[in-house]
Amino acid sequence: MEALIVIDVQNDFCPGGALAVTGGDEIVPGINALMDDFQAVILTQDWHPAGHSSFASEHPGKTPLEMIDMPYGPQVLWPDHCIQGSDGAAFHEGLDTTRADLIIRKGYNRAIDSYSAFFENDHETPTGLEGYLRTRGIDRLTMAGLATDFCVNYSAVDAAKLGFQVTVRQDLCRAIDLGGSLKAAQDGMRGAGVALA
Ligand code: VGL
Ligand code: ZN
């Protein structure tokens, strides 16, 4: 059984949003068109409390896109984005959300970021998605969404490590591309056995 996992197609990652990804809105029609080809459709939603530790605004003297060391490893600092319940955290209005079997939220722990749909950035605290997929008998995943080099990348690599057969539809993703992060993500995904389509 195969699921489509649509990563973080939210207003804040689209043009005009707080952490806009160039062309983020362009992928919406293509993602909608893909949904009928899958037995399950799962949407993820970046869902941070105000004052989240990944926000540069929480770290005096720091600006967005600087790095800091967190107890769980290096962390990019972001502009405030995807605040729980805000317009920025809502799905892009063009995204067909009615078709979704599950909406999984992540990044709700103030102290830890969560790029991956499977584990928080400590790489061990689970979101529960693995259990959901396994209990439904889903073993193959196709991923699309935002951003290629962060949440899609982390989700795809974790899924491959967990033993799922993973394809990333690069044409239905868009990247932030911070200092070569897209190339690094592509190499990392390929190395983990993810098929880049
Ligand atoms: C994302 C940065 C911060 C993403 C989420 O969805 O790729 N990137 N939070
Ligand atoms: Zn975030």
Side-chain angles (χ1 to χ4, degrees), residues 7-10 13 19 21 44-48 54-55 75-79 81-82 106 113-115 145-154 174 176:
I7 307 282
D8 298 0
V9 179
Q10 293 167 262
F13 299 121
L19 180 36
V21 180
T44 74
Q45 205 169 17
D46 208 37
W47 196 250
H48 299 306
S54 74
F55 296 167
Q75 169 72 49
V76 181
L77 293 175
W78 302 109
H81 65 280
C82 295
K106 60 185 179 63
D113 207 356
S114 187
Y115 295 148
L146 305 170
T148 323
D149 40 347
F150 288 91
C151 292
V152 175
N153 169 33
Y154 277 66
R174 292 293 182 273
I176 295 174

Side-chain angles (χ1 to χ4, degrees), residues 13-16 20 26 29 34 42 44 51 64 73 78 92 98-99 104 118-119 122 124 141 144 151 161 180 182 186:
F13 299 121
C14 291
E26 295 167 3
L34 208 56
I42 293 153
T44 74
W78 302 109
H92 184 280
T98 53
R99 183 62 183 77
I104 187 149
F118 292 90
F119 296 101
D122 61 2
E124 58 185 44
L141 307 175
C151 292
K161 282 185 186 161
L182 176 57
Q186 288 166 330

Side-chain angles (χ1 to χ4, degrees), residues 128-184:
L129 180 57
E130 179 192 1
Y132 176 88
L133 296 172
R134 291 206 196 285
T135 52
R136 282 197 63 188
I138 294 165
D139 55 354
R140 284 171 297 141
L141 307 175
T142 289
M143 296 189 185
L146 305 170
T148 323
D149 40 347
F150 288 91
C151 292
V152 175
N153 169 33
Y154 277 66
S155 298
V157 168
D158 278 351
K161 282 185 186 161
L162 289 169
F164 293 95
Q165 189 188 309
V166 188
T167 301
V168 168
R169 283 286 301 257
Q170 291 197 95
D171 57 323
L172 296 176
C173 295
R174 292 293 182 273
I176 295 174
D177 205 11
L178 264 186
S181 60
L182 176 57
K183 169 85 169 58

Side-chain angles (χ1 to χ4, degrees), residues 40-63:
V41 175
I42 293 153
L43 311 179
T44 74
Q45 205 169 17
D46 208 37
W47 196 250
H48 299 306
H52 192 261
S53 59
S54 74
F55 296 167
S57 58
E58 286 299 295
H59 303 271
K62 297 287 183 189
T63 52

